Amino acid sequence: MSEDYRLYADLAAWWPLLSPPEEYADEAAVATSALDSADVDVREVLELGSGGGHNAVHLKRRFELTLVDLSPRMLEVSRRLNPECEHVEGDMRDLRLGRDFDAVFIHDALDYLLTEEDLAATVATAFAHCRPGGAAVFVPDHTTETFAESTEHGGSDDGDGRGARFLGWTWDPDPDDTWVRTDYVLLLREKDGNTEVVHETHTTGLFSRDVWHRLLTAAGFEPLVLTRRDGPDDAPRDLFIGHRPA
């Protein structure tokens, strides 16, 4: 799971520079529209795998958020950005808070689920916390049908000498299994000008639309898949909505 990676552990403090919160505005807008598709008035939202809280920066303007992540270091980052939100350390595969919400949201933390069993457990967690008439929104980076080898880069400076840049290369070593590989190279510059180069390999899950549909249905949701393309040069991306019957 994601807690095994330095990016979410001792390097977590670099997250706001590597992936700035303002870059999440469009994604959060799509998530808001999907969350609002519930059959209840959505006010209370549980975000599982909330990471550094960069989606929450935008979603909290519309919803009352409870943020859950497995990494205590990432929760520290999120608490600084979102002090008004409740934060909980927990594993989305087996979390049980004993209360329900109008909607549940899981962004790309889903990618670190490598088996159908882990994905099914997470879908069950979402169902257990979604009140009747509510909805759960799942946004994996890829499905089997949309995956294509890709590269990405980014990063920013803090205006006080610190800066971070990254290059990511995602590829599939074996198309017959349920995971893909992303190699990240991070270049981190401290305020005093010293730099560190970090290479880290992340293994992430890849499942078909049929698997998603089957697991959502098995958990009790009425599933819906939306395929969208953010821009003319962007790859298609699947978003799954599970409606819990009233």
Side-chain angles (χ1 to χ4, degrees):
M1 286 292 288
S2 59
E3 79 276 13
D4 298 325
Y5 300 111
R6 291 189 65 195
L7 187 56
Y8 309 124
D10 63 300
L11 300 179
W14 292 96
W15 188 247
L17 296 181
L18 289 165
S19 189
E22 55 268 23
E23 295 181 358
Y24 289 68
D26 289 345
E27 193 80 356
V30 172
T32 296
S33 178
L35 291 165
D36 276 333
S37 72
D39 293 328
V40 298
D41 181 25
V42 178
R43 295 180 296 107
E44 297 177 315
V45 174
L46 173 66
E47 183 179 355
L48 300 173
S50 55
H54 291 188
N55 276 302
V57 166
H58 307 282
L59 294 175
K60 68 185 181 184
R61 300 169 186 169
R62 170 69 175 74
F63 306 112
E64 179 183 330
L65 300 177
T66 297
L67 306 177
V68 176
D69 200 84
L70 192 56
S71 166
R73 298 283 188 92
M74 292 296 274
L75 287 172
E76 289 176 13
V77 174
S78 181
R79 286 189 182 99
R80 288 194 290 271
L81 287 173
N82 306 296
E84 65 274 69
C85 296
E86 179 183 0
H87 289 77
V88 178
E89 183 179 338
D91 189 325
M92 60 187 177
R93 292 169 293 187
D94 58 19
L95 178 80
R96 294 297 184 271
L97 295 177
R99 54 195 172 101
D100 55 17
F101 297 80
D102 301 315
V104 179
F105 173 58
I106 317 180
H107 195 231
D108 51 10
L110 289 162
D111 297 336
Y112 291 96
L113 303 171
L114 303 183
T115 67
E116 281 193 32
E117 291 77 14
D118 280 348
L119 182 56
T122 299
V123 171
T125 295
F127 188 84
H129 292 89
C130 185
R131 63 176 44 106
V137 176
F138 306 85
V139 192
D141 273 340
H142 310 285
T143 54
T144 303
E145 292 83 0
T146 64
F147 179 79
E149 183 173 322
S150 63
T151 58
E152 58 179 327
H153 61 88
S156 62
D157 304 324
D158 71 355
D160 196 31
R162 292 175 76 247
R165 299 293 185 273
F166 79 92
L167 173 67
W169 177 17
T170 301
W171 56 291
D172 190 354
D174 182 357
D176 293 326
D177 59 26
T178 61
W179 59 272
V180 296
R181 167 176 171 162
T182 302
D183 286 285
Y184 289 106
V185 177
L186 315 177
L187 180 58
L188 311 174
R189 185 187 66 207
E190 297 285 2
K191 186 176 180 180
D192 61 8
N194 287 327
T195 60
E196 178 184 6
V197 177
V198 177
H199 169 248
E200 185 164 76
T201 298
H202 290 215
T203 301
T204 52
L206 184 69
F207 303 97
S208 70
R209 292 170 185 154
D210 284 345
V211 167
W212 274 97
H213 191 281
R214 172 166 51 82
L215 296 181
L216 287 167
T217 301
F221 285 117
E222 296 174 349
L224 173 68
V225 57
L226 302 176
T227 302
R228 62 188 178 89
R229 193 185 298 266
D230 295 328
D233 298 323
D234 294 324
R237 190 172 182 186
D238 287 334
L239 177 151
F240 298 91
I241 304 175
H243 290 102
R244 178 164 179 167

